[in-house]
Amino acid sequence: MSSRSPDEFRLGVRPYDQGFRGGDEPEDPHELLHRARRLTAEGHPGAGGAWERAATALRRAGGALTPGDHADALDATALDCRGAALPAAGPLFFRAADLHEQAGQRGKALVSRARALVAGPGPGGGPGPGATACARLAELRERATALHAVGQADTAETATVRLLHASARADLLDTAPDPMAEAAAVREELDRLLAFAAPHREDPAVLGVLADTRAVLGRITAPDDPAAALSQLRASIDDHRAGGRPWPATEQQLLLSALLRTTGAFEEAAALLRAALAPEVPGPPLRAGDRARLCLALARTVAGAGERWPTTGGPEVADEEIPLLAESVHHSDGPSDDVRAGALARLRLGVAYAERGRCREASTLLERALAGFSEEGDTAARVRARAWLADCALRLGESGRASREYALAAVEALSWDDRRHGAALSHRTADALGAAGAPEKAARAYERAADLWRAAGDHAAAARSLRARSRQVRIAWGDVAAEVVLAEAAREAARGRRGSAGSRAAHDRPVGAAVPVEHARPTPVAGETRRPAHEVHSGDGTVDACDGAPTDVAAHAETESGIESGIEAGIEAGAGTEVGLGLGSEEDSMTDSEADSEADSGVDQGSGVGGPWPGLRELPEPFGPWGRYQVNVYGEVGGTGQRAATAAGTRVQGCE
């Protein structure tokens, strides 16, 4: 069989190749072929590039690849597919399986077919196998066990198929009717796999499977038993090294460092990540995408340590985050094409700049991050990027732009179960409109924010929005109209105080217990003239701050009337549900005279002019694990990280 075109081996992205060749690269085609076989047997990450060079040399010399060699080459290339090349992995594995069958390598064929199922698109086109693929993997597992019994599949091949099936089950844990029971069943399967493979650990290939098995076991154990998970992940990295594999074990390192962070061992987590980025023993260089993720995780670790111990380390420790994030951005671009890691690194770098007052630089980064998040489709990421963009714009004196970005963020945040974030962002929209010198628009935006706070069950926050509205009403329509709004704010504050008392009385109820919510849309202020709907759609639409150029922002609201009705529907939907109340604050008990004094001051509390709005840090994390057993880009497993900002009973800062 003649060798295939080298283009077949160029589908993957292989940053390893350039760094691994060195000066000992053989020129003889058969030496290149021997080297490619050896690297494949070792599971070396440079095997794909070695096969490409061997195939090219053989083709020029008029030689041929055997079906078995060709299959190994396709396997190595498919394993190297990352970023934009990832969709090519599945077809390459299937083609390799056919060639393994031709070569009589039935165990290898099963491994390739199992990898093809894992690499294929999951439900809805997402990555990872679905339930159907998992069932087919179970069939392959049984076939591999049968082949192993008759000596037609070795231990490493059989263990690999079994591991791929268990990994697929782990990926589907959060879709199971009883995730915790299913997790226990998967742990049992993985324990049986360890018992099956452990007697053969002298084989480096088996040791590699053992390392990966312990990594999966650590991942699904982390939410329920962090200490046991730490033990498994450390053993995974030890097995990886014991197998004589100096190349990085990035996934295990990310998982272990994330778990160390959640247990408070920030220094150990940072040391682990620094060692991964600058290993003492020379070996194959890190893939660009892996380096980007490790830098991102180390920046998160450094920032977490700074928040935990703000008085230790000084500005030098705090500023370590910025070069790490810049390096992550650099390595996310180019060959790795890791849109998610790149966009997240830009967002965090932009936030770091914004926190240090470098708002121009921050805005540029946040705009690029927003473009990346549009491709990835993560709502929390887009909301956070827009909210920080708006905050930067407000501090740069660009109030009109700030109001638009806040409104766009509010549109998406109102789709979340916890509507308090959308209400807070709507209040910020009104703040920006007030700063832009548009008191009538700001007054209506504050009214919408108050409606949203009521729908979310936070009457104290609704009162604060109404007090802010009274200041704008005073400017636009005079003192009499403002007094009407202040009276309404006082009534709303009283409801909040009664609600707080009820919450204290029910303190021992289970977290998330429902509390009935009152809802009443305020009566328009006497003398107020409603503007056309397109001028201010702070809750679920567009904002035209000053320039008369409305912006279409919601895919579900193609017309201005659709946007406005979307706001009303959202508010009514909130009123018809039961929502957990947030905790009150001292300001909730503000007296009418204090409110008058505040109104007379003409200053919106928390305007963000002197620094970032505190509520920005309480927005949900971008790309957080969507389930208890899922892993995010930092290597964090759901259920082990910091408590989500949208958890029941969590205070969401709105308009203090």
Side-chain angles (χ1 to χ4, degrees):
M1 175 181 176
S2 62
S3 65
R4 297 289 294 269
S5 164
D7 290 339
E8 190 171 43
F9 308 113
R10 292 198 181 105
L11 292 173
V13 179
R14 293 179 301 280
Y16 281 102
D17 298 349
Q18 299 174 0
F20 181 74
R21 286 194 194 188
D24 61 345
E25 183 76 17
E27 297 181 2
D28 180 79
H30 297 287
E31 287 295 324
L32 286 169
L33 185 59
H34 174 73
R35 184 170 176 276
R37 288 170 178 162
R38 175 173 57 82
L39 294 178
T40 297
E42 295 173 352
H44 197 286
W51 278 113
E52 179 182 341
R53 292 187 289 277
T56 301
L58 280 172
R59 180 169 173 268
R60 288 173 179 168
L65 281 176
T66 65
D69 283 340
H70 192 182
D72 285 342
L74 293 177
D75 276 334
T77 302
L79 286 169
D80 236 1
C81 287
R82 303 292 178 94
L86 187 60
L92 286 174
F93 280 130
F94 276 125
R95 172 66 174 147
D98 292 339
L99 291 169
H100 281 309
E101 292 281 3
Q102 292 180 31
Q105 300 166 337
R106 300 182 66 187
K108 284 187 174 182
L110 288 179
V111 172
S112 295
R113 293 195 190 284
R115 284 173 171 162
L117 290 171
V118 171
T132 302
C134 195
R136 293 176 63 188
L137 285 165
E139 296 174 2
L140 293 178
R141 179 197 60 189
E142 297 305 319
R143 288 170 58 188
T145 302
L147 288 177
H148 182 263
V150 297
Q152 294 188 23
D154 64 27
T155 301
E157 292 161 355
T158 305
T160 299
V161 175
R162 291 178 63 172
L163 173 60
L164 290 168
H165 173 254
S167 298
R169 288 184 69 185
D171 289 339
L172 295 173
L173 282 178
D174 288 290
T175 65
D178 187 346
M180 295 184 71
E182 178 67 7
V186 176
R187 282 194 288 270
E188 289 180 8
E189 180 178 348
L190 291 166
D191 287 337
R192 290 194 296 270
L193 175 53
L194 289 174
F196 167 76
H200 308 275
R201 60 182 295 119
E202 70 279 356
D203 181 350
V206 174
L207 204 50
V209 178
L210 283 170
D212 292 340
T213 302
R214 293 189 188 281
V216 178
L217 192 53
R219 167 193 152 191
I220 65 173
T221 303
D224 306 311
D225 190 348
L230 281 172
S231 177
Q232 291 291 351
L233 290 169
R234 288 191 173 107
S236 171
I237 293 177
D238 290 342
D239 282 347
H240 182 83
R241 292 169 180 162
R245 301 178 176 218
W247 45 91
T250 302
E251 295 302 322
Q252 291 96 319
Q253 290 162 337
L254 286 169
L255 282 166
L256 179 55
S257 65
L259 194 53
L260 288 169
R261 281 197 302 274
T262 63
T263 58
F266 286 94
E267 291 185 5
E268 186 178 351
L272 173 68
L273 293 168
R274 288 191 178 99
L277 287 164
E280 295 180 2
V281 180
L286 276 169
R287 298 176 189 267
D290 289 344
R291 182 172 289 278
R293 292 183 63 196
L294 289 167
C295 287
L296 193 58
L298 181 54
R300 188 173 181 84
T301 304
V302 169
E307 292 171 3
R308 189 179 179 91
W309 300 291
T311 60
T312 62
E316 294 81 6
V317 173
D319 288 340
E320 184 183 0
E321 182 184 11
I322 289 181
L324 286 168
L325 292 171
E327 186 176 356
S328 181
V329 168
H330 171 72
H331 290 291
S332 298
D333 297 333
S336 69
D337 192 26
D338 194 332
V339 175
R340 176 173 296 192
L344 193 52
R346 284 189 173 89
L347 171 59
R348 295 206 59 190
L349 184 56
V351 169
Y353 281 157
E355 289 179 330
R356 290 158 177 79
R358 298 163 64 176
C359 292
R360 291 287 180 197
E361 295 166 275
S363 295
T364 301
L365 285 162
L366 292 168
E367 286 169 354
R368 290 197 62 188
L370 192 56
F373 293 141
S374 296
E375 293 181 34
E376 282 292 316
D378 186 81
T379 304
R382 289 196 298 271
V383 168
R384 186 172 282 240
R386 288 196 184 282
W388 275 100
L389 263 175
D391 194 81
C392 288
L394 197 59
R395 287 192 278 160
L396 289 169
E398 300 170 2
S399 304
R401 181 188 179 193
S403 65
R404 286 188 288 272
E405 294 294 349
Y406 275 133
L408 290 166
V411 169
E412 298 205 69
L414 286 172
S415 68
W416 299 340
D417 292 338
D418 188 340
R419 288 177 160 248
R420 294 174 296 174
H421 295 292
L425 289 165
S426 295
H427 184 103
R428 296 295 294 168
T429 304
D431 286 345
L433 286 167
E440 296 179 7
K441 297 177 182 179
R444 285 189 289 274
Y446 281 126
E447 180 186 14
R448 291 190 180 94
D451 288 347
L452 292 168
W453 283 119
R454 285 193 192 96
D458 194 334
H459 295 285
R464 289 190 290 272
S465 290
L466 288 170
R467 285 195 291 269
R469 169 175 162 77
S470 72
R471 297 193 286 274
Q472 301 300 324
V473 167
R474 190 182 303 277
I475 297 170
W477 294 291
D479 292 344
V480 174
E483 292 301 322
V484 173
V485 179
L486 279 173
E488 184 183 354
R491 291 192 296 272
E492 201 66 45
R495 293 190 192 104
R497 287 192 292 274
R498 289 197 299 271
S500 296
S503 297
R504 286 191 293 272
H507 181 71
D508 294 330
R509 282 186 298 190
V511 173
V515 180
V517 176
E518 290 183 76
H519 172 68
R521 184 166 179 82
T523 304
V525 175
E528 176 179 344
T529 304
R530 296 283 186 185
R531 294 288 183 177
H534 71 267
E535 287 188 346
V536 179
H537 295 172
S538 63
D540 199 15
T542 64
V543 172
D544 173 11
C546 307
D547 55 8
T551 308
D552 187 11
V553 299
H556 67 280
E558 297 178 358
T559 65
E560 291 171 359
S561 61
I563 295 171
E564 194 73 2
S565 64
I567 302 172
E568 302 295 340
I571 294 170
E572 291 170 7
T577 61
E578 294 180 336
V579 198
L581 294 179
L583 301 177
S585 68
E586 293 180 1
E587 187 186 353
D588 297 344
S589 58
M590 181 183 290
T591 64
D592 291 348
S593 60
E594 289 171 330
D596 290 339
S597 175
E598 182 189 4
D600 291 336
S601 71
V603 178
D604 285 341
Q605 293 187 346
S607 66
V609 174
W613 168 47
L616 290 167
R617 298 179 182 88
E618 298 184 4
L619 293 170
E621 278 282 336
F623 298 115
W626 60 266
R628 181 177 179 82
Y629 298 100
Q630 301 304 309
V631 183
N632 67 10
V633 70
Y634 301 105
E636 296 163 344
V637 185
T640 63
Q642 295 178 350
R643 193 178 187 204
T646 53
T650 302
R651 176 72 174 162
V652 175
Q653 295 209 17
C655 356
E656 288 84 357

